[in-house]
Amino acid sequence: MLHRLTHRQLEAFRAVIETGKVTAASEVLNTTQPSVSRMIADLEHTAGFDLFERRGRQLLPTPEALALYEEVERSFVGLAEISRVIEDIRDFRRGSLLIAGMPALALKFLPDAIAAFVKAEPGIKVSLRARSSQAVLRHLSSQQFDLGFAALDMDHPAVTRRPICTAPMQAVLPLGHPLAVKDRLEPADFDEQPFIALGAEIATRSETDVFLAAGNARPQIVAEAQLSASICELVASGAGVSIVEPVTAANFAAAGRIIARPLHPAQPFRYDLLLPALREPSRVAARFLDLVEAQFTALLGD
């Protein structure tokens, strides 16, 4: 093996081939003429054959040198491509992001964030999977997803879970509903009201039931739905009132489709950020999270 072969020698060899002169090669490499001559001599010694015929100040490559140059040039082209890839990754012109999100965030909130992100970073490909919170946890435990957004009361050894936003649950009312005159709604306000409930299998349903029971409220359950968005659609259609997580309530209220009011006593709802525990977040993921956190603040306040 040619243990003494160096990358700098090959740079000097390439520069001399392309310029035809040691002086010009030294200028290309930003070094001295004796240094280039020494590197060429060392390369010839390592190779065991002459690379150039010296005719005055002109160097003419030998056939062996031309054969070597073809291979060296392929290597340098490969290095140039690697350099471009490094620059693309550094400047966010290349990369991907795989996200799993609970429906409450994956139906509008995350698409809005992704749309803003890909507009700012058009070289990044983002994939979004809408899944239940438990399924989001399973996806992140596979270490194949970059980010997960869920609402959970459980952990997984392969997943890092931390709160990304906590905000109060909201009462949602049809436009023009009499209860809209109130600044906040208490349990008794829901008594005998037509009510769209979360499905019994949803964890938040039991918390809502406890809130209503604290005021001896007995709403008339006219429908059930698994998703906050489905509930808000029913509320917007005038089917009844309900209580949902804050992001969906804020989005529907901002669109002018329903009225949202805080509850008293407040019922906090926490959105969790899930990260694969076996690797650090990429620079792309970190930049996207900055945008998501800013969007939470803009939508729900501090």
Side-chain angles (χ1 to χ4, degrees), residues 73-92:
E73 184 63 13
R74 279 196 291 269
S75 298
F76 273 82
V77 169
L79 287 173
E81 179 60 27
I82 291 171
S83 296
R84 283 193 291 272
V85 170
I86 290 172
E87 291 174 356
D88 286 349
I89 294 172
R90 181 194 64 206
D91 298 333
F92 299 97

Side-chain angles (χ1 to χ4, degrees), residues 81-286:
E81 179 60 27
I82 291 171
S83 296
R84 283 193 291 272
V85 170
I86 290 172
E87 291 174 356
D88 286 349
I89 294 172
R90 181 194 64 206
D91 298 333
F92 299 97
R93 293 193 298 266
R94 181 185 298 229
S96 63
L97 197 57
L98 188 54
I99 301 168
M102 61 188 289
L105 297 179
L107 294 180
K108 178 166 174 57
F109 180 88
L110 287 173
D112 286 349
I114 291 168
F117 183 72
V118 298
K119 184 177 181 180
E121 311 293 352
I124 307 300
K125 177 184 177 182
V126 182
S127 297
L128 174 63
R129 304 286 187 272
R131 299 289 188 270
S132 69
S133 289
Q134 291 76 16
V136 171
L137 183 65
R138 291 195 297 271
H139 283 323
L140 267 292
S141 69
S142 72
Q143 308 298 304
Q144 295 177 5
F145 281 71
D146 300 294
L147 299 171
F149 298 91
L152 291 163
D153 56 4
M154 65 182 75
D155 290 302
H156 191 287
V159 177
T160 299
R161 178 171 69 101
R162 67 170 188 252
I164 191 170
C165 179
T166 300
M169 298 278 286
Q170 297 286 301
V172 287
L173 314 170
L175 298 178
H177 194 280
L179 287 174
V181 299
K182 301 193 66 172
D183 292 332
R184 58 185 185 177
L185 299 188
E186 300 177 355
D189 292 317
F190 295 92
D191 191 46
E192 296 187 357
Q193 288 285 340
F195 192 86
I196 298 100
L198 278 167
E201 72 278 10
I202 308 300
T204 310
R205 165 68 181 268
S206 61
E207 298 171 6
T208 300
D209 288 346
V210 169
F211 169 79
L212 295 171
N216 294 318
R218 294 184 178 182
Q220 300 175 10
I221 297 178
V222 296
E224 289 187 350
Q226 289 183 312
L227 304 182
S228 297
S230 300
I231 290 175
C232 285
E233 289 287 355
L234 286 164
V235 171
S237 298
V241 302
S242 191
I243 298 171
V244 299
E245 44 78 26
V247 163
T248 302
N251 280 325
F252 270 79
R257 302 193 60 205
I258 54 100
I259 296 168
R261 291 287 184 266
L263 301 173
H264 180 74
Q267 305 295 302
F269 186 91
R270 191 181 88 172
Y271 302 94
D272 293 319
L273 168 65
L274 307 185
L275 299 167
L278 304 184
R279 57 185 171 89
E280 292 296 317
S282 66
R283 295 172 68 246
V284 170

